[in-house]
Amino acid sequence: MAKKVAAITIGCKVNLYDTQTLLQKFVDTGYDVTENAAEAADVIIVNTCCVTNAADKKSRQAVRRAKSRGAIVAVMGCASQATPEKYADIGADIVLGTTDRSKILDYVTNFRADNGIIIHSPDILTHSDFETADITKMLGKTRAFLKIQDGCDNFCAFCIIPHVRGPSRSRPYGDVVAQARRFVQTGHKEIVIAGICVASYGKDIQGHNILSVLRAICEIDGIRRVRLSSVEPNVITPDFVDFAASQPKFCDHLHLSLQSGSDAMLAAMNRRYTAAQYADAVTTLRKIMPNVSITTDIIAGFPGESEDDHRQTMDFIEKLGLSALHVFPFSAKEGTAAAKMANQLPGDVKNRRAKEMISLGDTLTAAHYGRFTGKTMPVLVEGRNAAGLYEGKTTNYINVCFEAPDGLEGSIVDVRLDVPHADGLFGISI
């Protein structure tokens, strides 16, 4: 009987891709993948995240649960890069960080419990190569995430990621295009371009940038949709506008990172744009993509944030009418500049401001959905949900549930959007 491997992924699309590449290696050597880590897996991989203290806590909880199931527990990712010993202490058998993850298979193959815990976590800040790991298909995914970049050079005051992912580095252009073609060959119709700081693609190689990647992937036959993951407003250049306006495969949804609508807070965060520049980017996108959905991240209660700064952000977001907000109360991460700042705010203040921001986000999302009620839009069907309804995304990332006969998984169908549900809109297939 084949051995079984399960994976628990916490965090971003880059982590999802990294997990998939490792699972591919296990499959190639004869393992079966089980999607339920609670089943009797021989190996459980936990891909960790530490972007917030809550994500770090969730990562540790996942390791403890995995250990209780009697499997070999292999840990990788940002949180275990930051504090590998912490994960060894709570029961991980094999601990890697954000480099050399493919070695997990060898470590598992040769693992003996009586030889002790294996820890492999090199100094990431000196890492300069992109670790190319090819895969054939995203297991259990209709949309394929394509990692083209790793690391970050920005060192925003609140962010630990440059310290655990290392400097920005780009995947070779030819490898990117070849990976996209493999995804088409295995039936994926939508490609999501992912990276830690994806707009930095090409800064360390000659002749290419994020736009040349987007253009090349859009030109591949069989790809119906190309989606870009989180970017900052300075990516919205005239060349980007020309591309987005002329390329029908490019999805009209952008996660445009904001964090604060107060210029004083943006400067304190070491962000490289102003609120006015952000607003200009939003206005430009709406001119070229009438149905565009613009979502964003917001930090509530950054050190030194006054009540006026908070109100500025609320007013700014409301005026822009963004589509959805991902709100986080400020989390002081050890090792970041913000953790050492004076004027740290009390937890009750941060939580109150976060709740106010979340409430505003709910109102904006409801208004966004209301704009499309009654319209017919193409939906990429991802599968059935717990209620037995088909579920999928429009190009502008509205989650749609609808009834239809079997056999639609992976196809793009026209759906008339109807009343709201908990996480999007119900629809009626046409």
Side-chain angles (χ1 to χ4, degrees):
M1 181 181 296
K3 292 183 177 181
K4 292 184 178 180
V5 58
I8 302 167
T9 302
I10 298 156
C12 64
K13 294 178 177 66
V14 171
N15 264 12
L16 285 170
Y17 184 89
D18 290 339
T19 297
Q20 291 276 339
T21 62
L22 189 54
L23 288 177
Q24 178 86 58
K25 291 183 179 296
F26 275 86
V27 169
D28 291 345
T29 57
Y31 277 78
D32 288 338
V33 175
T34 172
E35 294 186 11
N36 185 356
E39 293 181 4
D42 299 280
V43 180
I44 300 177
I45 300 162
V46 182
N47 197 350
T48 63
C49 176
C50 64
V51 70
T52 64
N53 289 331
D56 203 341
K57 180 180 178 180
K58 186 176 180 181
S59 298
R60 295 194 302 273
Q61 289 172 338
V63 170
R64 290 190 181 99
R65 286 196 300 270
K67 187 64 179 177
S68 70
R69 291 167 186 148
I72 296 174
V73 179
V75 178
M76 65 183 193
C78 293
S80 54
Q81 177 70 41
T83 55
E85 294 81 7
K86 180 188 295 184
Y87 283 86
D89 289 345
I90 60 173
D93 299 300
I94 300 163
V95 183
L96 280 82
T98 54
T99 62
D100 298 328
R101 286 156 292 214
S102 62
K103 291 183 178 180
I104 285 180
L105 178 58
D106 291 336
Y107 288 142
V108 166
T109 302
N110 299 310
F111 180 77
R112 286 180 53 193
D114 58 356
N115 283 347
I117 296 163
I118 299 168
I119 297 180
H120 179 81
S121 183
D123 180 6
I124 191 64
L125 294 179
T126 63
H127 205 70
S128 59
D129 295 327
F130 184 95
E131 294 181 5
T132 298
D134 299 327
I135 54 177
T136 304
K137 183 180 177 64
M138 296 288 286
L139 301 172
K141 301 290 183 182
T142 301
R143 299 181 299 128
F145 304 120
L146 202 173
K147 177 183 172 183
I148 70 167
Q149 182 273 341
D150 207 338
C152 182
D153 300 328
N154 291 336
F155 288 92
C156 296
F158 55 81
C159 188
I160 194 65
I161 296 306
H163 301 275
V164 295
R165 281 281 179 175
S168 180
R169 51 209 188 272
S170 305
R171 186 172 184 173
Y173 176 79
D175 289 349
V176 171
V177 177
Q179 179 64 77
R181 293 187 187 280
R182 278 192 294 275
F183 282 145
V184 173
Q185 292 166 1
T186 53
H188 292 292
K189 293 183 175 67
E190 178 175 314
I191 306 291
V192 183
I193 308 300
I196 296 299
C197 185
V198 70
S200 296
Y201 182 86
K203 289 183 177 180
D204 55 331
I205 58 177
Q206 294 292 322
H208 293 288
N209 58 23
I210 184 61
L211 275 180
S212 61
V213 167
L214 289 171
R215 290 190 183 102
I217 294 176
C218 284
E219 290 171 1
I220 296 173
D221 290 339
I223 291 178
R224 301 281 297 277
R225 296 178 175 183
V226 177
R227 195 179 298 277
L228 186 59
S229 62
S230 180
V231 292
E232 293 185 357
N234 50 21
V235 79
I236 312 302
T237 62
D239 286 345
F240 182 92
V241 169
D242 289 343
F243 161 78
S246 61
Q247 180 47 257
K249 291 183 181 180
F250 186 66
C251 289
D252 46 358
H253 164 246
L254 283 167
H255 189 77
L256 203 63
S257 185
L258 175 59
Q259 307 302 353
S260 176
S262 159
D263 283 342
M265 289 297 98
L266 290 174
M269 292 175 179
N270 196 32
R271 304 295 281 179
R272 291 163 174 79
Y273 52 85
T274 65
Q277 289 169 329
Y278 187 96
D280 286 345
V282 171
T283 300
T284 299
L285 289 170
R286 285 177 173 157
K287 286 179 180 176
I288 62 171
M289 294 187 283
N291 290 338
V292 69
S293 168
I294 300 174
T295 56
T296 199
D297 297 318
I298 297 294
I299 295 175
F302 188 79
E305 182 188 64
S306 67
E307 198 64 31
D308 184 59
D309 292 321
H310 172 61
R311 294 311 316 174
Q312 280 185 48
T313 302
M314 294 277 289
D315 294 344
F316 180 74
I317 292 169
E318 186 172 18
K319 183 177 179 181
L320 282 182
L322 300 178
S323 306
L325 309 181
H326 297 176
V327 180
F328 306 90
F330 172 72
S331 177
K333 293 295 299 179
E334 183 179 351
T336 64
K340 302 173 185 176
M341 288 180 175
N343 301 318
Q344 300 281 334
L345 301 184
D348 59 340
V349 173
K350 293 189 288 187
N351 290 334
R352 184 216 2 123
R353 291 179 185 175
K355 287 179 181 178
E356 291 177 2
M357 200 70 70
I358 290 169
S359 178
L360 173 60
D362 291 343
T363 299
L364 293 173
T365 298
H368 176 66
Y369 290 158
R371 289 180 53 215
F372 298 97
T373 300
K375 291 187 177 183
T376 297
M377 301 185 74
V379 173
L380 174 60
V381 182
E382 299 184 53
R384 292 193 183 274
N385 62 17
L389 298 175
Y390 271 127
E391 191 167 24
K393 300 286 192 302
T394 61
T395 57
N396 63 350
Y397 212 65
I398 296 175
N399 189 65
V400 181
C401 298
F402 62 98
E403 291 184 356
D406 290 338
L408 294 182
E409 289 88 347
S411 60
I412 297 177
V413 298
D414 287 334
V415 179
R416 188 171 72 247
L417 307 188
D418 200 8
V419 296
H421 64 75
D423 189 33
L425 292 171
F426 287 108
I428 302 168
S429 60
I430 303 301

